């Protein structure tokens, strides 16, 4: 039976082989860097084994790595968690997309009989605003499965088992969970359309080098100093707009599994390739409901396809995908699942049913700002005594945009 478990130092060669199969920010194909990741994960698991996070715990400096073993004990997949992304000195960066409406009253003509506009002086533009996220959300990443193992339902075990670990150890993580989806990349060109038409104009690096340096905490300075604060994307070619929030072919399956349980695209994108950022709240996730139970002897109910996990400080976390027959607080498992988890009758386990109805794609509206209305909310006295509405120049525009970003950030406390 396939089993997920906590990473061990001896897994490093297998992880390096998996890392070299693609471009994975959270699984670097560099042995020293990957070794550092594994050592970090081992330290995080030690904290988990000790109980609640200590007072000086900084989740932005911790990761978790899990590996998937096949029945022969070989490592054939992995998934991970960054306990916290960004901090006050090194905020996580993305571009927040905004629809900005500008209005010219003198160009707007209305039908006297109906009062409806027959000529509009309104224009809409899509702006990308650099979003510095200091709230240290927890990030999912590093999902990799050996090619020959794909298609057998193991992707859900890779992805979903992490939520059971987070439920077991909530003090290690943020309630706000995010996932940065890899965008489509051009195999014969530098990066992709978005990279070449926008960020590449400001950063004199190849996409690969910029992406690699962005993962090194001490080397990310170039992003804060070179990326533009605000860009009107509507001035670029239409194909750039069509690229916003796209998910690459190798990431679509992972994105679908997350949207099935309530993650949604929040119109924030990767600052290099415009890949979609998906988010949810662990505390409000009503799909993949995690329940605690005790291993029982008999199958008192109809078995249901489930993720079942066990944990103890000595052996750590391990999980399997198996049929589980749940009745009250008892759960009956197949013999092979009991062996893989190392549990027996009376032991505590955690389970989550996989027969839930996937959530439909829940839309998250693109934030829209009417410049005139937004400015008057900030300065209601601005048009007093004026025959024409106040014009929104660069300083007033910046004030409105900053207020909008501040409001969005207020939804994500630390």
């Amino acid at each position: 039976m396939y089993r997920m478990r906590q990473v061990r130092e001896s897994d490093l060669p297998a992880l390096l082989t998996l890392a070299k199969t693609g471009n994975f920010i959270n699984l670097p194909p560099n042995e020293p860097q990957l070794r550092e990741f594994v050592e970090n994960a081992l330290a995080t698991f030690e904290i988990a084994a000790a109980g609640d996070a200590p007072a000086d715990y900084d989740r932005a400096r911790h990761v978790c790595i899990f590996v998937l073993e096949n029945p022969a004990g070989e490592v054939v997949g992995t998934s991970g968690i960054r306990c916290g992304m960004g901090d006050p000195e090194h905020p996580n960066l993305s571009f927040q997309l905004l629809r900005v409406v500008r209005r010219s009253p003198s160009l707007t003509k209305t039908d006297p009989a109906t009062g409806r506009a027959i000529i509009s002086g309104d224009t809409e533009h899509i702006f990308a605003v650099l979003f510095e996220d200091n709230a240290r959300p927890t990030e999912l990443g590093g999902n990799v499965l050996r090619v020959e193992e794909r298609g057998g339902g193991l992707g859900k075990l890779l992805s979903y088992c992490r939520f059971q670990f987070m439920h077991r150890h909530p003090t290690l993580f943020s309630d706000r969970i995010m996932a940065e989806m890899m965008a489509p990349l051009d195999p014969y060109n530098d990066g992709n359309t978005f990279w070449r038409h926008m960020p590449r104009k400001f950063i004199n690096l190849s996409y690969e080098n910029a992406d690699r340096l962005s993962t090194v905490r001490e080397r990310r300075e170039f992003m804060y100093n070179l990326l533009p604060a605000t860009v009107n994307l509507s001035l670029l070619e239409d194909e750039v707009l069509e690229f916003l929030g796209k998910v690459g072919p190798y990431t679509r399956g992972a994105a679908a599994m997350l949207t099935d349980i309530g993650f949604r695209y929040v119109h924030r994108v990767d600052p290099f390739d415009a890949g979609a950022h998906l988010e949810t709240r662990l505390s409000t996730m009503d799909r993949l409901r995690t329940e605690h139970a005790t291993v029982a002897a008999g199958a008192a109910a109809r078995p249901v396809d489930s993720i079942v996990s066990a944990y103890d400080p000595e052996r750590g976390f391990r999980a399997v995908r198996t049929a589980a027959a749940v009745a009250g607080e008892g759960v009956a498992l197949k013999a092979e699942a009991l062996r893989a988890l190392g549990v027996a009758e009376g032991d505590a386990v955690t389970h989550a049913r996989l027969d839930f109805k996937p959530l439909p794609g829940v839309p998250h509206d693109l934030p829209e700002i009417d410049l005139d209305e937004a400015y008057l909310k900030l300065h209601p006295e601005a048009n007093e005594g004026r025959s024409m509405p106040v014009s929104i120049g660069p300083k007033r525009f910046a004030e409105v945009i900053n207020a909008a970003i501040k409001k969005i950030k207020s939804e994500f406390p630390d």
Side-chain angles (χ1 to χ4, degrees):
M1 171 171 269
Y2 287 86
R3 178 181 74 159
M4 292 292 294
R5 61 166 172 81
Q6 294 176 188
V7 73
R8 300 169 185 157
E9 189 175 358
S10 58
D11 297 324
L12 185 60
L15 287 175
L16 188 59
T17 299
L18 288 170
K20 290 179 178 179
T21 63
N23 180 27
F24 310 108
I25 291 179
N26 292 309
L27 194 70
N30 174 279
E31 184 171 357
Q33 195 174 356
L34 191 56
R35 182 180 296 277
E36 185 178 336
F37 267 51
V38 171
E39 290 173 352
N40 185 315
L42 295 176
T44 306
F45 290 136
E46 286 184 8
I47 294 173
D52 289 342
D56 61 349
Y57 174 76
D58 180 2
R59 65 174 179 263
R61 296 181 178 273
H62 287 272
V63 302
C64 298
I65 301 175
F66 306 95
V67 297
L68 177 68
E69 292 179 325
N70 66 11
E74 300 171 317
V75 172
V76 297
T78 181
S79 63
I81 309 170
R82 281 184 179 265
C83 302
M85 276 293 290
D87 57 49
E89 292 185 3
H90 303 85
N92 190 40
L93 292 183
S94 59
F95 278 120
Q96 174 68 60
L97 303 180
L98 302 173
R99 177 182 287 111
V100 177
V101 179
R102 306 195 72 134
R103 179 168 293 111
S104 169
S106 65
L107 293 183
T108 301
K109 297 187 182 301
T110 59
D111 184 340
T114 63
R116 298 177 61 181
I118 54 177
I119 299 177
S120 175
D122 294 1
T123 60
E124 293 184 356
H125 294 265
I126 303 300
F127 278 80
V129 182
L130 199 61
F131 191 89
E132 296 187 359
D133 192 346
N134 297 309
R136 300 177 304 152
T138 291
E139 183 197 17
L140 304 180
N143 279 38
V144 187
L145 184 61
R146 214 158 65 180
V147 174
E148 55 268 32
E149 306 285 354
R150 294 174 186 172
L154 295 173
K156 287 185 176 180
L157 177 58
L158 272 178
S159 181
Y160 291 164
C161 77
R162 294 174 293 186
F163 296 100
Q164 294 192 16
F165 185 84
M166 285 188 280
H167 277 296
R168 286 179 180 272
H169 307 282
T171 61
L172 301 184
F173 308 100
S174 169
D175 185 53
R176 178 179 160 218
I177 312 297
M178 65 174 294
E180 299 183 4
M181 296 291 101
M182 187 180 297
L185 299 177
D186 295 343
Y188 306 113
N189 213 329
D190 182 35
N192 61 20
T193 300
F194 180 81
W195 165 257
R196 293 192 298 273
H197 283 78
M198 208 278 274
R200 181 64 179 82
K201 307 295 185 183
F202 300 89
I203 297 175
N204 190 27
L205 293 170
S206 68
Y207 173 84
E208 182 178 353
N209 284 337
D211 195 44
R212 177 176 53 82
L213 288 176
S214 72
T215 66
V216 183
R217 181 186 176 90
E218 294 75 16
R219 303 292 300 276
R220 324 183 66 218
E221 163 275 328
F222 75 96
M223 299 174 65
Y224 307 116
N225 284 329
L226 298 182
L227 284 171
T230 306
V231 176
N232 187 343
L233 298 180
S234 296
L235 300 179
L236 304 179
E237 287 82 352
D238 288 347
E239 61 180 320
V240 178
L241 293 180
E242 294 171 0
F243 219 83
L244 299 174
K246 294 294 184 183
V247 176
Y250 300 112
T251 317
R252 287 173 191 155
M257 283 188 285
L258 294 179
T259 54
D260 282 350
I261 59 174
F263 279 74
R264 61 180 184 174
Y265 172 48
V266 292
H267 298 285
R268 277 191 293 281
V269 299
D270 184 273
F272 291 163
D273 57 33
H277 283 198
L278 307 180
E279 293 197 10
T280 194
R281 291 276 180 179
L282 188 63
S283 60
T284 59
M285 187 186 297
D286 60 0
R287 298 298 193 274
L288 202 68
R289 189 179 303 279
T290 298
E291 305 285 353
H292 301 289
T294 301
V295 177
R302 181 180 178 183
V304 175
D305 187 16
S306 306
I307 304 289
V308 182
S309 66
Y311 180 84
D312 60 74
E314 183 178 346
R315 291 177 293 175
F317 178 81
R318 56 264 188 213
V320 297
R321 181 175 182 178
T322 186
V326 180
E329 297 182 356
V331 58
L333 303 173
K334 295 179 179 179
E336 60 176 349
L338 295 174
R339 288 194 297 269
L341 293 173
V343 295
E345 185 177 351
D347 289 340
V349 294
T350 299
H351 63 92
R353 298 167 62 115
L354 295 181
D355 64 343
F356 58 85
K357 183 179 180 181
L359 282 170
V362 180
H364 181 78
D365 292 337
L366 176 65
E368 181 172 303
I369 302 172
D370 184 303
L371 284 180
D372 289 344
E373 291 181 1
Y375 186 75
L376 287 176
K377 284 183 180 180
L378 296 174
H379 301 282
E381 76 290 348
N383 282 335
E384 291 179 4
R386 295 176 59 92
S387 58
M388 290 290 291
V390 66
S391 61
I392 307 298
K395 289 185 178 180
R396 290 168 177 161
F397 175 84
E399 183 182 6
V400 170
I401 294 297
N402 289 337
I405 295 298
K406 184 177 180 179
K407 181 180 179 182
I408 292 172
K409 284 187 174 181
S410 70
E411 301 173 7
F412 310 123
D414 188 358

